[in-house]
Structure formats: structure tokens, C-alpha cells
Amino acid sequence: MARDRQATEEKILQAVGRILAEQGFHNFGINAVARQAHVDKVLIYRYFGGMPELLRAYAEKGSYWPTIEEVAGDNPEGFGRMPVPEAVATLLCNFSRAVRKRPVTLEILAWEAIERNELAKVLEKVRKDFTKQLYRAIAGSRGRPTGDMAAIVTLLTAAINYLAVRSRKVGKYGAVNIRSEEGWRRLESAIRMISGRCIVSQESM
Amino acid sequence: MARDRQATEEKILQAVGRILAEQGFHNFGINAVARQAHVDKVLIYRYFGGMPELLRAYAEKGSYWPTIEEVAGDNPEGFGRMPVPEAVATLLCNFSRAVRKRPVTLEILAWEAIERNELAKVLEKVRKDFTKQLYRAIAGSRGRPTGDMAAIVTLLTAAINYLAVRSRKVGKYGAVNIRSEEGWRRLESAIRMISGRCIVSQESM
DNA sequence: CTCCTATGTCACTCATCGGTGACATCTGCA
DNA sequence: TGCAGATGTCACCGATGAGTGACATAGGAG
């Protein structure tokens, strides 16, 4: 109708985002996108190629993972001034908040346990870089971690991912209300405690 | 062919299990079950009613969650003899192993983040009872936990679920190889450490 | 043996999906 | 002005899904 390819592509990509955020991958498909965008599906094939390319194009536009700045503040090196356990705890809590407010990210996290699609692949790479930067920020902190810090951080990020994903469908997990701010405060203080007591640095303990 | 309803129902239910274990919910459906069971799909409707009832019937036959015995041994009360932190750690590690060896359970865990179906509902109830018994076993141990033990246990079980589910599709998470026994040993010792240092009991510390 | 019903088989409907070919129309360029 | 390619529209294909109605037959009850 409007004869404006750029605008059409934009409508299509926005439709992808809306469907993922509101209905998830389960109801995702070429037809659904075309409907949502009020665009003929032929145009999706013409402009993007197909489903994988469409997802890839969408992936390149969005921010599906926290940036290091979002989690560590404007100068990640600033973490060098606090003891390791405190740095780790703060990073993890910030990470938790950043992930929880990204509905599309939560959908991808849920779906990559079912099927590894283009979005999951992109997210994987981003996440890898993120992790590397995270460890760099920690490495600058005061004190040397002893014990298997990597294993502990793995456990805690896994827990955060799981609970954040799950909170979309269920209100409680165990005794904790994972839909309320209060529930997440409990989890955060548990994270702080774990970090404080298990990632021992020579100087701070 | 064989004119044996009971045998046919059995074939159908076994087909459900095979599909879930080998292909997951993604490729699950009436037609798929009928194909797998070498049975006409009409019989599924006649004998079970439809998809929800079929899943419910399947759910009632299987053990999709560890039993308390599997995790706490033959007499859960026996945990009363060890200190709380050690009891918690042991229960969690046993739980991890029990979950990881149940492919259908892992599939349900992955899928319930996408859609809450009949199997997920059944699993929910079983899990609730299991948790209750777990806490009872802990309550019998020596010493009083301080701090938010529930939050810590929530975090650790969430982490176990997430990593177990994820290990079906991806080999590594962070720095840990979640497909190898060695990786899980690292996680287990981290769990023991967390439990030992963060669930403080008056007598043992 | 005869009939009735439980069991199994077949053939279909209707909806949706991914994907494609053919056609209409707009717009910028020669 | 007229043409060509870019853009948009429409109608279709084959495959697959859930679900149903009609029919065939085996086997037990009378």
C-alpha cells in the first residue's frame, strides 16, 4: 500500500518483537508475523529470505542481554575498589534485575531449552562476551577468590535464569514468591550471603 | 488386529513415553502417538478422550519426580543424626542425580516454562509433596538453621533444575561442563560449600 | 448357530502451516 | 512520456495437524 520498503521491514521486525513478548515462540511463525504486521507474508520472504534470516535480522536490532554497564555501572573498573565477594554479589543482583525486565530475553531463555534457534545462537555469543567482561570486572576487585568461584557463580546465575523464566508462568517456587519484589529481595539477600561467605578473599576475611 | 483393549492402551501409553523422552513435547501430538504406537488415532480418542486426558493417564503411571526415599535413603528420619547443613547438602546432591537421570522429567521441566499442560500440573502437585517431605527430613537434623534457609534451598534447586534441563541441549554453561560427571562434581562441592557456610546451625558451628 | 458389541480400519473434513507463482500497481529514470 | 523494476496483492500448492462418521470383523453371550 505505502510502497515503502524500509517502513515495511520495520513493521515486520516490530511484529516479531510483539509476538515474542506477548505470545512467545510457541505461536511464532511466518503467518503470525505477517498477520501481526498487517503485511503479506510474501514480503517477509522477499525482504528477509525466511524464518532464520528474519530472526537473525531481528536479533541484530535488539538488546537481549544486559550490557556490562547496566550491571557494573559506567566504569566496571570501579569494582576494583570493593572486595571480591561484595563485587560478585552486586553484579549478580544487578544482573537479576536486568534480565527480569526483558520479556523477549526470558522467552528466548525458556525456548532454548526446547530448541536451539537463530535467536538462541545470537544470545549465546552475546552472553559469552558478557561473562568474559564480568569476570574481568571481578578480577579487578580487592582480594583473591579461593574455592571454586566459577562453580558458585554458575549456580547462582543458573538459579536467577530459572526463577526469572519460571516467574512468567507460576507465582511461587518453593516458599518464595517469585512474582513479588519482596520475594526477589529475599533471593538477593541469600545471594549476598552466599557470595559473602563462600567466595573468600584473602584480604576481606 | 489383536482385539485387546488393555494391550492397546498400554501400547499407546508407552508411545507417549517414548516420544516425550526421544523427541519432546515439541513433536508431540495425537498423530505422533498413534504412529509411534502403530495404532489408529481413533482408538486414542475412544479410550482416553483426547490429549489432556491422555497426558493425565500417562502421568498417573509414571514417576516423574524423585521419591523421598531416593533422595533421603530408606529412613528419611535417619537424617536426624547429621547436622543441618550436611543434611541439606546431601539431599540436594542426591536430588540433582535423581532428576538428571529422568529424561521425561527434564522434558516436562523445560516445557512448563513454555506452556502449562496436564503433565506440568501433575508434576506440580508431586513436587509440592516432595518439598514438604524434604523439609520434614531436614527439620529432624541436628541444629537450627539460621538465615533464610528456604531462599537458599530455592536458589540451589532452581540452579539444579536449570542446569539439568540445559545440559540436554548445550554442553557447557559458563565455565562448567554440565554434560560430564566431573562438571557435576564441581557443582556438588560448591553446593556442599554453600550449604555448609550459609545454613548455620547453632550446634555445628 | 445367531446376534450384539467391543475393537479395529478407513476415509474424510476443516484448519493451519510454510512456501511459491502470477498478477497488479506505483515510482523513479531514461 | 514511456518503460522497467520495485513493491504490494491474491490465489494457490502440498503437508500436517486435530477431530469425526461410517464401516468391517472378531468373539463372547444368549
Side-chain angles (χ1 to χ4, degrees):
Chain A
M1 197 64 110
R3 302 258 155 186
D4 182 341
R5 171 164 179 169
Q6 208 170 5
T8 302
E9 290 187 357
E10 192 53 41
K11 275 201 290 182
I12 293 171
L13 291 176
Q14 282 183 3
V16 171
R18 281 196 59 171
I19 293 180
L20 287 183
E22 292 170 10
Q23 299 164 43
F25 272 107
H26 194 32
N27 306 93
F28 189 81
I30 293 287
N31 291 309
V33 173
R35 262 197 305 275
Q36 174 73 251
H38 301 109
V39 148
D40 196 290
K41 63 176 168 178
V42 168
L43 300 183
I44 300 179
Y45 287 104
R46 266 223 277 275
Y47 295 158
F48 295 94
M51 175 71 78
E53 295 89 344
L54 175 61
L55 283 181
R56 186 161 289 277
Y58 176 73
E60 284 167 7
K61 297 210 96 181
S63 57
Y64 310 112
W65 203 248
T67 61
I68 191 73
E69 289 80 21
E70 192 175 358
V71 164
D74 284 339
N75 62 332
E77 319 302 332
F79 270 77
R81 271 169 298 170
M82 57 174 85
V84 169
E86 194 182 330
V88 171
T90 306
L91 291 173
L92 287 174
C93 292
N94 291 347
F95 169 73
S96 144
R97 288 180 201 164
V99 166
R100 272 186 288 140
K101 71 180 185 200
R102 285 177 163 77
V104 175
T105 301
L106 294 179
E107 183 61 32
I108 302 176
L109 280 177
W111 196 256
E112 64 180 5
I114 304 288
E115 188 189 46
R116 221 165 136 268
N117 61 24
E118 288 298 316
L119 272 184
K121 288 180 197 167
V122 170
L123 188 56
E124 217 163 273
K125 181 173 163 25
V126 176
R127 192 157 37 184
K128 206 170 176 182
D129 296 346
F130 174 82
T131 307
K132 199 182 294 180
Q133 287 183 286
L134 211 65
Y135 275 104
R136 197 173 307 151
I138 295 173
S141 334
R142 279 186 30 232
R144 280 268 149 274
T146 62
D148 196 347
M149 182 180 76
I152 291 172
V153 170
T154 293
L155 284 173
L156 292 179
T157 56
I160 291 169
N161 286 346
Y162 186 77
L163 294 171
V165 166
R166 201 176 160 79
S167 71
R168 299 171 318 146
K169 300 283 170 188
V170 185
K172 291 186 58 176
Y173 182 84
V176 180
N177 182 340
I178 52 179
R179 279 229 184 106
S180 72
E181 266 314 306
E182 183 262 341
W184 281 95
R185 269 198 299 274
R186 273 179 74 186
L187 295 173
E188 284 188 7
S189 60
I191 289 172
R192 287 190 181 283
M193 186 182 197
I194 291 172
S195 178
R197 298 200 183 185
C198 300
I199 302 181
V200 193
S201 76
Q202 292 169 338
E203 290 170 80
S204 64
M205 289 193 82
Chain B
M1 199 64 110
R3 303 259 158 185
D4 183 339
R5 171 166 179 166
Q6 210 170 5
T8 302
E9 289 187 357
E10 192 51 42
K11 275 200 290 181
I12 293 170
L13 290 175
Q14 281 182 4
V16 171
R18 279 196 60 169
I19 293 180
L20 287 182
E22 292 171 9
Q23 298 163 43
F25 272 108
H26 194 32
N27 305 93
F28 190 80
I30 294 287
N31 290 311
V33 173
R35 262 196 304 275
Q36 173 73 251
H38 301 108
V39 149
D40 196 290
K41 63 176 168 180
V42 168
L43 300 183
I44 300 180
Y45 288 103
R46 265 222 279 274
Y47 295 158
F48 294 94
M51 176 71 77
E53 296 89 345
L54 176 61
L55 282 181
R56 186 161 289 277
Y58 176 72
E60 284 165 7
K61 298 210 94 182
S63 58
Y64 310 112
W65 204 249
T67 61
I68 190 71
E69 289 80 21
E70 192 174 358
V71 164
D74 284 339
N75 62 331
E77 320 300 332
F79 271 76
R81 273 169 296 169
M82 58 174 84
V84 169
E86 193 182 329
V88 171
T90 305
L91 291 173
L92 287 174
C93 292
N94 289 347
F95 169 73
S96 143
R97 288 182 200 161
V99 166
R100 271 187 289 140
K101 72 179 183 200
R102 284 176 163 77
V104 175
T105 301
L106 294 178
E107 183 61 32
I108 301 175
L109 279 177
W111 197 254
E112 67 181 2
I114 304 289
E115 188 190 45
R116 224 166 133 269
N117 60 23
E118 289 298 315
L119 271 184
K121 287 179 197 167
V122 170
L123 187 56
E124 219 163 273
K125 181 171 162 26
V126 176
R127 191 157 36 183
K128 206 171 176 180
D129 297 346
F130 174 81
T131 307
K132 199 182 294 179
Q133 288 183 285
L134 211 64
Y135 276 104
R136 197 173 307 150
I138 294 173
S141 336
R142 278 186 29 229
R144 281 267 151 274
T146 61
D148 196 346
M149 181 179 76
I152 291 172
V153 170
T154 294
L155 283 173
L156 293 179
T157 56
I160 290 169
N161 286 345
Y162 185 78
L163 294 172
V165 166
R166 201 177 160 79
S167 71
R168 299 171 318 146
K169 299 284 171 186
V170 185
K172 290 188 59 176
Y173 182 84
V176 180
N177 183 340
I178 52 180
R179 279 229 183 105
S180 71
E181 267 314 305
E182 183 262 341
W184 281 95
R185 269 197 299 274
R186 273 180 74 186
L187 295 173
E188 285 188 6
S189 60
I191 290 172
R192 290 193 179 281
M193 185 183 199
I194 291 172
S195 178
R197 299 201 182 183
C198 301
I199 303 181
V200 194
S201 77
Q202 293 169 340
E203 288 169 81
S204 66
M205 288 196 81

